[in-house]
Amino acid sequence: MREIVCPRPSPNVTVWPCSEHLNSWDLYRVFVVVFGLVLGPFAFGHMQKTRALQLVTTVVRHASFALMIVLAIVGIARGEGRSAQDVIAYERPSNIATFFGVCIYSFMCHHSIPGLVAPITNKSKVGLVMAAAFVAVLGVYLLLCVSATFRFLPGEIDDVYTLNFKRYPVRFVAYFLSLFPVCTLSANFPLICITLRENLRTLAHNIGSTDVEARERAPTSGGLSGFFARHIYALVAIVPPLVVALFTEDVSMLVGFTGAYAGLGIQWVVPTALVWCLRRRLATAGAGANPFASPFAHAAWLYMAFALSAAAVVLITLTHGLL
């Protein structure tokens, strides 16, 4: 949003004046505060209340992805891209950590698994449906990444890829793509906060179920203290990301650190540990064979995932210069 209201004069500039009293950094923080005030209250509600917002965002997301892919391919066809030799010759190992961080956002497509599985009556076709869904997701990501790689030089690609089209001659398309992250983030932030809020509540119940449930059933007083008592989990989900956003606007740094380490745990370590624990519990209970078992049911796959996770942590830490 800031790049639209106060365009960056050149790619190398980090802070630039926007008005007599505001520079780009001040304007960014103003937008963060407005974002929190407008969208924060949605985190106190329920998923059903954001359904219309999700539908609109889905349409905008598909249109934006299609536009970015098509415009990049058109640019390549006009000779504005890079050669295959240039793309193959380029290397920068320090970007590996950022790559792992970006993967966590690709992992967001896993949130759709319950929505894909629930309507299927014949569960024997779950594997086929899931495979088709993830092949489609992979195809879109590959098209987007490959078209961007061949269309723009590495130094030209912004941290937020849609900003590469902000100078497109058709101004409606330029504004539409530039504002796409605003629309997506505005829709995803309440959903993620609600999910985190409920996960924190469940975690608190599991750690000390008796005390937590008793406190939640007890009547709360009015005023500010009562508000905090009723909505402590929502506040814990909302406040930290907004505080971090107020102090930094470096998207690549955030993705490289938080996305890399947290993403590694979310994508590899936690699911693998859950599968390992569940298999041990089922073996102890004497459960029969699962007709819908994964083809990766051998324990060697679990050990391989743990080994790759450990190697990835070392690699990420080395590329960040922490070792």
Side-chain angles (χ1 to χ4, degrees):
M1 180 66 76
R2 183 195 61 184
E3 301 287 337
I4 301 299
V5 176
C6 179
R8 190 187 300 264
S10 66
N12 297 326
V13 176
T14 55
V15 179
W16 62 96
C18 293
S19 68
E20 185 178 348
H21 303 289
L22 284 177
N23 59 28
S24 59
W25 176 238
D26 297 327
L27 183 61
Y28 165 78
R29 286 185 289 185
V30 169
F31 279 129
V32 171
V33 172
V34 173
F35 178 87
L37 293 176
V38 173
L39 295 173
F42 285 98
F44 296 91
H46 301 281
M47 288 287 190
Q48 290 79 4
K49 296 181 179 180
T50 62
R51 185 171 299 173
L53 191 62
Q54 295 178 57
L55 291 174
V56 173
T57 306
T58 300
V59 174
V60 172
R61 182 181 291 114
H62 283 78
S64 300
F65 270 68
L67 275 173
M68 287 187 287
I69 292 170
V70 170
L71 293 179
I73 293 175
V74 169
I76 295 171
R78 291 176 176 174
E80 299 172 353
R82 304 164 62 195
S83 64
Q85 292 81 359
D86 184 24
V87 172
I88 295 172
Y90 178 80
E91 59 176 317
R92 184 174 294 177
S94 60
N95 286 345
I96 294 177
T98 305
F99 166 76
F100 278 103
V102 173
C103 285
I104 186 58
Y105 300 104
S106 304
F107 178 75
M108 291 290 287
C109 62
H110 287 64
H111 285 191
S112 303
I113 289 178
L116 290 171
V117 173
I120 302 175
T121 304
N122 185 1
K123 299 300 183 185
S124 63
K125 297 182 179 179
V126 167
L128 179 61
V129 173
M130 297 301 298
F134 281 103
V135 166
V137 171
L138 177 62
V140 172
Y141 274 121
L142 284 176
L143 273 174
L144 187 66
C145 294
V146 171
S147 60
T149 301
F150 281 90
R151 171 62 181 85
F152 299 102
L153 294 172
E156 295 176 345
I157 298 180
D158 291 295
D159 289 341
V160 181
Y161 178 55
T162 56
L163 294 178
N164 282 84
F165 303 93
K166 63 185 177 183
R167 293 183 178 86
Y168 190 71
V170 181
R171 299 313 299 163
F172 171 77
V173 174
Y175 284 124
F176 178 78
L177 289 177
S178 297
L179 293 174
F180 165 65
V182 178
C183 178
T184 302
L185 185 60
S186 299
N188 286 342
F189 183 76
L191 301 179
I192 294 173
C193 284
I194 291 171
T195 303
L196 179 57
R197 180 195 71 192
E198 296 306 315
N199 288 345
L200 290 172
R201 192 191 307 276
T202 302
L203 180 63
H205 285 182
N206 291 337
I207 293 175
S209 58
T210 304
D211 295 337
V212 173
E213 290 176 2
R215 285 197 300 270
E216 291 194 348
R217 285 196 299 266
T220 55
S221 59
L224 189 60
S225 60
F227 174 82
F228 278 104
R230 291 190 301 271
H231 302 295
I232 183 64
Y233 300 112
L235 292 172
V236 171
I238 296 170
V239 174
L242 293 177
V243 171
V244 172
L246 279 173
F247 286 96
T248 181
E249 58 174 314
D250 190 343
V251 177
S252 61
M253 183 274 291
L254 289 175
V255 169
F257 275 95
T258 61
Y261 291 105
L264 183 65
I266 293 171
Q267 291 184 93
W268 291 1
V269 178
V270 173
T272 306
L274 287 174
V275 171
W276 184 68
C277 292
L278 287 172
R279 286 181 180 176
R280 290 188 61 185
R281 180 176 296 182
L282 290 174
T284 304
N290 181 7
F292 308 117
S294 166
F296 305 101
H298 197 279
W301 293 105
L302 300 180
Y303 297 125
M304 184 183 300
F306 282 129
L308 288 174
S309 300
V313 168
V314 174
L315 181 62
I316 293 169
T317 306
L318 285 173
T319 53
H320 276 305
L322 300 179
L323 283 180

